[in-house]
Coordinates of all heavy atoms in Angstrom, one line a residue:
C1136 N -14.0 13.2 1.6 CA -13.2 13.9 0.6 C -14.0 14.0 -0.7 O -13.9 13.1 -1.5 CB -11.8 13.2 0.4 SG -10.9 12.8 1.9
D1137 N -14.8 15.1 -0.8 CA -15.7 15.2 -1.9 C -15.4 16.3 -2.9 O -16.2 16.8 -3.6 CB -17.1 15.2 -1.5 CG -17.4 16.4 -0.5 OD1 -16.5 17.2 -0.3 OD2 -18.6 16.5 -0.1
T1138 N -14.1 16.8 -2.9 CA -13.7 17.8 -3.8 C -12.6 17.2 -4.7 O -12.1 16.0 -4.5 CB -13.1 19.0 -3.1 OG1 -12.0 18.6 -2.3 CG2 -14.1 19.6 -2.2
D1139 N -12.1 17.9 -5.7 CA -11.0 17.5 -6.5 C -9.7 17.4 -5.6 O -9.6 18.2 -4.6 CB -10.7 18.4 -7.6 CG -11.8 18.4 -8.7 OD1 -12.5 17.4 -8.8 OD2 -11.9 19.4 -9.4
L1140 N -8.9 16.4 -5.8 CA -7.7 16.1 -5.0 C -6.5 16.5 -5.8 O -6.5 16.3 -7.1 CB -7.7 14.7 -4.6 CG -8.9 14.2 -3.8 CD1 -8.8 12.7 -3.5 CD2 -9.1 15.0 -2.5
D1141 N -5.4 16.9 -5.1 CA -4.2 17.2 -5.8 C -3.0 16.6 -5.0 O -2.9 16.8 -3.8 CB -4.0 18.8 -5.7 CG -2.7 19.3 -6.4 OD1 -1.8 18.5 -6.6 OD2 -2.7 20.5 -6.6
A1142 N -2.2 15.7 -5.6 CA -1.2 15.0 -4.9 C -0.1 16.0 -4.3 O 0.6 15.6 -3.4 CB -0.5 14.1 -5.9
A1143 N -0.1 17.2 -4.8 CA 0.9 18.2 -4.3 C 0.4 19.0 -3.1 O 1.0 20.0 -2.7 CB 1.4 19.1 -5.4
A1144 N -0.9 18.7 -2.7 CA -1.5 19.6 -1.6 C -2.2 18.7 -0.6 O -2.6 17.6 -0.9 CB -2.5 20.5 -2.2
P1145 N -2.3 19.1 0.7 CA -3.0 18.3 1.6 C -4.5 18.1 1.2 O -5.1 19.0 0.5 CB -3.0 19.2 2.9 CG -1.8 20.0 2.7 CD -1.7 20.3 1.3
T1146 N -5.0 17.0 1.5 CA -6.4 16.6 1.1 C -7.4 17.3 1.9 O -7.4 17.2 3.1 CB -6.6 15.1 1.2 OG1 -5.6 14.4 0.4 CG2 -8.0 14.7 0.8
P1147 N -8.3 18.1 1.3 CA -9.3 18.8 2.0 C -10.4 17.7 2.4 O -10.7 16.8 1.7 CB -9.9 19.8 1.1 CG -9.6 19.3 -0.3 CD -8.3 18.5 -0.1
Y1148 N -11.0 17.9 3.6 CA -12.0 17.0 4.0 C -13.0 17.6 5.0 O -12.6 18.7 5.6 CB -11.4 15.7 4.6 CG -10.6 16.0 5.9 CD1 -11.2 16.1 7.1 CD2 -9.2 16.2 5.8 CE1 -10.4 16.4 8.3 CE2 -8.5 16.5 6.9 CZ -9.1 16.6 8.1 OH -8.4 16.9 9.3
T1149 N -14.1 17.0 5.2 CA -15.0 17.3 6.4 C -15.0 16.0 7.2 O -14.8 14.9 6.6 CB -16.4 17.7 5.9 OG1 -16.9 16.7 5.1 CG2 -16.4 19.0 5.2
E1150 N -15.2 16.1 8.5 CA -15.2 14.9 9.3 C -16.6 14.8 10.0 O -17.2 15.8 10.4 CB -14.1 15.1 10.4 CG -13.9 13.8 11.2 CD -12.5 13.8 11.9 OE1 -11.5 13.8 11.3 OE2 -12.6 13.9 13.2
T1151 N -17.0 13.6 10.1 CA -18.3 13.3 10.7 C -18.2 12.0 11.5 O -17.5 11.1 11.2 CB -19.4 13.2 9.6 OG1 -20.7 13.1 10.2 CG2 -19.2 11.9 8.7
T1152 N -19.0 12.0 12.5 CA -19.2 10.8 13.3 C -20.4 10.0 12.7 O -21.4 10.5 12.4 CB -19.5 11.1 14.8 OG1 -18.5 11.9 15.3 CG2 -19.8 9.9 15.6
I1153 N -20.2 8.7 12.5 CA -21.2 7.9 12.0 C -22.3 7.6 13.1 O -21.9 7.1 14.1 CB -20.7 6.5 11.5 CG1 -19.5 6.7 10.5 CG2 -21.8 5.6 10.9 CD1 -18.8 5.4 10.2
P1154 N -23.5 8.1 12.9 CA -24.5 7.9 13.9 C -24.9 6.4 14.0 O -24.7 5.6 13.1 CB -25.7 8.7 13.4 CG -25.5 8.9 12.0 CD -24.0 8.8 11.7
D1155 N -25.5 6.0 15.2 CA -25.9 4.6 15.4 C -26.9 4.2 14.4 O -27.1 3.0 14.1 CB -26.4 4.4 16.8 CG -25.3 4.5 17.8 OD1 -24.2 4.2 17.5 OD2 -25.6 4.7 19.0
T1156 N -27.6 5.2 13.8 CA -28.6 4.9 12.7 C -28.0 4.7 11.4 O -28.7 4.4 10.4 CB -29.7 6.0 12.7 OG1 -29.0 7.2 12.4 CG2 -30.5 6.1 13.9
G1157 N -26.7 4.9 11.3 CA -26.0 4.7 10.0 C -25.7 5.9 9.2 O -26.3 7.0 9.5
L1158 N -24.9 5.8 8.2 CA -24.6 6.9 7.3 C -24.6 6.3 5.9 O -24.0 5.3 5.7 CB -23.2 7.5 7.6 CG -22.7 8.6 6.7 CD1 -23.5 9.9 7.1 CD2 -21.2 8.8 6.9

Side-chain angles (χ1 to χ4, degrees):
C1136 309
D1137 59 0
T1138 62
D1139 291 339
L1140 303 177
D1141 181 347
T1146 302
Y1148 62 86
T1149 56
E1150 191 164 289
T1151 189
T1152 299
I1153 305 169
D1155 288 338
T1156 56
L1158 179 78

